[in-house]
Amino acid sequence: TLKERAQQMSLYLEPAVHDQLRELAFVERTKIHPLLIEAIDLLFKQRGLKSIKQLTASADKDQRITG
């Protein structure tokens, strides 16, 4: 599962930022986690880096080869 293989990290947000993020998640009927993943993926794209999909596909491929 993702929880078993992923790295956990903390994020500190100002209360107003957290409130707006929670409201966006509510309005879009989703959770905060997918919104943060989307934001990270957009940051990677803006910086010319591999997407999350590309990174996880190569990690899955490596796992199949070694596992």
Side-chain angles (χ1 to χ4, degrees):
T1 67
L2 176 61
K3 190 172 183 177
E4 293 170 337
R5 69 179 185 273
Q7 296 289 319
Q8 184 176 2
M9 62 183 302
S10 296
L11 177 67
Y12 293 94
L13 300 171
E14 291 290 341
V17 175
H18 180 258
D19 291 346
Q20 182 168 281
L21 186 57
R22 278 184 36 211
E23 184 166 335
L24 178 61
F26 177 78
V27 168
E28 294 190 3
R29 296 178 179 252
T30 189
K31 295 186 179 199
I32 290 175
H33 182 263
L35 295 176
L36 293 175
I37 295 299
E38 179 183 349
I40 291 167
D41 207 32
L42 287 170
L43 176 67
F44 287 168
K45 182 179 180 181
Q46 288 176 344
R47 298 296 204 289
L49 300 171
K50 291 181 182 177
S51 69
I52 291 174
K53 187 175 183 177
Q54 291 170 316
L55 291 168
T56 55
S58 67
D60 290 343
K61 181 181 172 186
D62 291 344
Q63 176 99 16
R64 286 192 302 269
I65 292 170
T66 60

